[in-house]
Amino acid sequence: MSSQETHEKKNYVVTSVSVVADDKDSQIESPYSEESQSKGFFQAFLDGFKPLDIGEIDPNLTDVERANLISARASLKRGLKNRHLQMIAIGGSIGTGLFVGAGSALAKGGPAALIIAWVLTGSMMYCTVQALGELSVLFPVAGSFTQFNTRFISPAWGFCMAWNYALGWLITLPLELVSASITIDYWNSEINSAAWVTIFYVVIVGINVFGVRGYGEAEFIFSALKVLAVVGYIILGIVINCGGGPKGGYIGGRFWSDPGAFSHGFKGVCSVFVTSAFSFGGTELVGLAAAETENPRKSLPTATKQVFWRITLFYIISLTLIGVNVPYNDPRLLGNSGAAASPFVLSIQNAGIKGLPSVMNAVIMIAVCSVANSSVYAASRTIAALSNQGFAPKLLGYIDREGRPLGGIAVSLTVGLLCYLSAYKNHSQVFDWMLSISGLSSIISWGSINACHLRFRRALSVQGRTTDEVPFTAQTGIYGSIFGVLLNCLILAAQFWVALFPAGKPASAESFFKVYLCVPVLIVFYFGWMLYKKNYTFFIKYSNIDLDTGRRVLDVEALKQEIAEEKAFIASKPFYYRVYKFWC
């Protein structure tokens, strides 16, 4: 194909998208509009499930151009407001990884390992979310960063990463529903867990019937409660450490010397990284929500900056208090499940405070429901993006007039029925193997996001363009993305070592694959797609990377002027205001 033809095809793609991106009339018309209401509420409700028409697609486009165009046209409803996105950014990923998983991490690595692992992983996550924010503000397309892999790296890698991310969230739903039922056992263990699983499952289904609006409101409430709980514990943890509990004396840093700061030495530190990564899972949902945000250029940059405060205030401070208030050799950390193994609950119990352990258990249950709700949201959008890119059956890409990816929601909720395996006596074995398929999926996805950002910046340079046309640039720049790629690779290497030679346990094939099964599965996906499509492209050439399709704003000159005016306005303000805008 000649360069002339390639240029014409790219122009066609940009022109096609500009209609979708800029024409307000092309936005999804809600069946609950005034006109639709004249038909009656029930008819309007039914109309909302009719398919969304994305128009005709030029058959001459390449696979990558076709994927970019469909992702841009498959408009999800922009129902997330700024307050939703901010709260999702602040408290969206606070869940069982922090409230419960920190207990096993403390036992495996010790209090110093907690701080080291969470600081390094948190720093990497901040760089990752900044890189994701830059790409998502520029290309707020359906599927967001899962589609970036196809655009900036290769179709084979896009297929591999999208299914990696989808499988991670598909398996999360049944796991979290079972976890929710386990939290109830803290109060009442006599009722069959299947009954509680059913209740939680119905609640999740009900939330997702309302689409992104239901997800946004539910997450706003869930996140607000989790944030209040963590802030409350930070205050309480300081009081407990100073001896303010009914049974407590002054603790200080006693547990850092007896039993010590580290458990199992360097291998113990490496063992903690997978838990810290799990606790940050869901942070990237800010980028996934870009296509359903009213004004991503305004709200996404602020949301990505909030990640710094969440990491610093909610994770580092609370985990520091956990490390000084609970000794790592407490047998309850590994001998129990659910709230009974939560170091938050144990520290309150050790201080002799009545009633508050039940409050923390309720918070843990809310956190579990929040993660389950997010899993349906993330999995359904990713599956829709898979279908749009031709990586899954066309039916799974069904998006209705209310912007709900019904095909993806149906798949997610169907897989969620595996939660009833909790009634099976060996269900823990089943769930362990399910988790192994996606255990490292978040780490691999984060590394890929940073790689996409690096390739995007390089493509800009090769094509003679600059970041002046980018609405939001990552504060950490390309060096943050380089750090993100390197640290994710180091975490994967550390996990490989720990999987081969687990701390305090004999080496076995079973223990290895329970930790590392995700990697061979992804290798099969990657090369399987190459062989099936007979497309052996490992990397798209920088000169051929599409930098236009899917932009919500295509008037580059107007955008540059707007950005310049905003910078001039901030520069004219006092120092404290400039500092505030930089961090918030």
Side-chain angles (χ1 to χ4, degrees):
M1 182 182 294
S2 68
S3 59
Q4 173 86 21
E5 290 173 327
T6 303
H7 180 70
E8 288 176 356
K9 286 179 71 176
K10 285 190 176 182
N11 280 342
Y12 169 81
V13 174
V14 175
T15 304
S16 301
V17 175
S18 65
V19 175
V20 177
D22 295 333
D23 185 0
K24 292 183 179 179
D25 293 335
S26 70
Q27 294 301 312
I28 300 171
E29 180 184 353
S30 172
Y32 303 106
S33 63
E34 187 175 337
E35 181 180 351
S36 298
Q37 285 290 353
S38 62
K39 301 177 183 179
F41 176 82
F42 184 70
Q43 185 60 46
F45 178 76
L46 293 179
D47 286 346
F49 292 95
K50 291 181 179 179
L52 175 71
D53 182 14
I54 63 171
E56 296 182 2
I57 303 295
D58 184 356
N60 297 317
L61 297 178
T62 65
D63 288 343
V64 175
E65 289 171 339
R66 183 180 182 277
N68 293 342
L69 183 58
I70 293 177
S71 295
R73 286 188 179 183
S75 299
L76 297 166
K77 189 172 183 181
R78 298 173 191 170
L80 287 179
K81 299 183 183 298
N82 186 55
R83 64 181 176 88
H84 295 138
L85 205 62
Q86 303 314 314
M87 194 54 73
I88 291 171
I90 293 173
S93 68
I94 298 176
T96 51
L98 175 64
F99 290 126
V100 179
S104 62
L106 178 61
K108 292 176 183 176
L114 280 185
I115 306 303
I116 293 171
W118 260 267
V119 166
L120 287 175
T121 309
S123 301
M124 177 271 294
M125 277 311 307
Y126 184 69
C127 296
T128 301
V129 173
Q130 283 287 314
L132 179 58
E134 178 175 319
L135 297 176
S136 297
V137 171
L138 187 61
F139 304 104
V141 296
S144 193
F145 64 86
T146 57
Q147 200 271 340
F148 294 153
N149 294 293
T150 302
R151 180 190 293 261
F152 298 117
I153 300 180
S154 73
W157 187 249
F159 173 79
C160 176
M161 283 297 95
W163 273 112
N164 165 64
Y165 193 70
L167 285 172
W169 283 113
L170 284 172
I171 292 170
T172 296
L173 178 59
L175 290 173
E176 293 300 326
L177 290 174
V178 172
S179 296
S181 67
I182 291 174
T183 60
I184 300 294
D185 290 343
Y186 186 84
W187 294 302
N188 190 332
S189 59
E190 297 178 0
I191 300 176
N192 193 302
S193 60
W196 297 117
V197 162
T198 302
I199 294 172
F200 290 118
Y201 184 85
V202 171
V203 170
I204 298 301
V205 171
I207 290 172
N208 283 275
V209 165
F210 293 98
V212 68
R213 180 173 52 188
Y215 167 75
E217 293 298 344
E219 277 306 298
F220 182 82
I221 296 170
F222 288 153
S223 297
L225 291 173
K226 289 186 290 184
V227 167
L228 287 173
V230 174
V231 172
Y233 178 80
I234 289 173
I235 298 171
L236 179 64
I238 295 172
V239 173
I240 290 173
N241 187 261
C242 294
K247 292 183 180 178
Y250 176 74
I251 300 174
R254 185 174 68 219
F255 295 140
W256 276 63
S257 57
D258 181 21
F262 292 96
S263 172
H264 300 104
F266 180 68
K267 186 178 290 186
V269 177
C270 293
S271 301
V272 173
F273 273 106
V274 72
T275 307
S276 66
F278 174 73
S279 74
F280 283 108
T283 302
E284 72 285 345
L285 288 176
V286 172
L288 195 67
E292 297 173 89
T293 304
E294 289 180 341
N295 190 345
R297 199 181 87 73
K298 297 291 186 182
S299 56
L300 266 176
T302 303
T304 57
K305 293 174 186 177
Q306 301 289 353
V307 173
F308 171 81
W309 298 109
R310 184 182 69 213
I311 292 169
T312 304
L313 298 178
F314 301 145
Y315 285 96
I316 306 305
I317 295 178
S318 63
L319 288 171
T320 300
L321 290 169
I322 288 299
V324 296
N325 289 337
V326 181
Y328 74 72
N329 59 356
D330 190 319
R332 294 171 294 177
L333 290 174
L334 290 176
N336 294 298
S337 61
S342 170
F344 289 82
V345 173
L346 294 181
S347 63
I348 296 172
Q349 289 177 336
N350 291 343
I353 302 174
K354 305 294 184 181
L356 278 182
S358 290
V359 173
M360 283 304 303
N361 187 60
V363 172
I364 292 170
M365 187 174 67
I366 289 170
V368 169
C369 291
S370 173
V371 175
N373 183 42
S374 295
S375 69
V376 177
Y377 177 84
S380 62
R381 272 65 182 174
T382 305
I383 290 171
L386 277 162
S387 178
N388 292 336
Q389 297 174 73
F391 297 158
K394 187 177 180 180
L395 180 63
L396 299 184
Y398 186 100
I399 297 176
D400 67 14
R401 294 183 184 180
E402 272 291 282
R404 291 171 294 215
L406 293 184
I409 291 174
V411 171
S412 182
L413 293 177
T414 301
V415 175
L417 293 173
L418 290 173
C419 62
Y420 287 103
L421 285 172
S422 60
Y424 176 55
K425 63 179 181 179
N426 293 325
H427 70 274
S428 61
Q429 286 289 324
V430 177
F431 286 129
D432 283 346
W433 283 107
M434 284 171 57
L435 189 60
S436 67
I437 297 175
S438 62
L440 300 173
S441 64
S442 292
I443 298 170
I444 297 171
S445 294
W446 297 333
S448 189
I449 289 170
N450 287 292
C452 286
H453 181 239
L454 291 173
R455 287 185 58 80
F456 163 71
R457 286 292 190 92
R458 181 59 180 163
L460 273 179
S461 176
V462 169
Q463 297 182 27
R465 300 162 73 166
T466 68
T467 54
D468 289 342
E469 64 182 72
V470 179
F472 168 71
T473 55
Q475 292 176 322
T476 51
I478 61 171
Y479 297 105
S481 294
I482 292 171
F483 170 71
V485 170
L486 292 177
L487 186 60
N488 278 294
C489 289
L490 288 174
I491 292 175
L492 288 174
Q495 287 309 120
F496 182 79
W497 179 47
V498 172
L500 277 178
F501 307 104
K505 296 180 181 178
S508 69
E510 180 181 353
S511 64
F512 173 79
F513 284 110
K514 278 188 176 180
V515 174
Y516 229 74
L517 182 60
C518 175
V519 175
V521 168
L522 291 182
I523 292 173
V524 171
F525 270 57
Y526 183 70
F527 288 103
W529 174 256
M530 278 188 167
L531 294 172
Y532 175 73
K533 297 292 288 187
K534 295 182 173 58
N535 182 345
Y536 304 104
T537 303
F538 287 94
F539 295 102
I540 300 172
K541 292 182 178 179
Y542 290 115
S543 57
N544 293 334
I545 288 178
D546 182 4
L547 298 176
D548 295 300
T549 305
R551 287 180 180 237
R552 191 170 290 185
V553 180
L554 290 174
D555 191 338
V556 176
E557 292 305 318
L559 176 63
K560 288 181 180 179
Q561 183 178 352
E562 186 178 347
I563 293 173
E565 290 174 353
E566 288 177 356
K567 288 181 178 179
F569 173 77
I570 293 174
S572 67
K573 293 293 183 179
F575 174 75
Y576 66 84
Y577 182 84
R578 297 198 301 271
V579 172
Y580 168 77
K581 291 300 292 183
F582 180 83
W583 290 108
C584 300

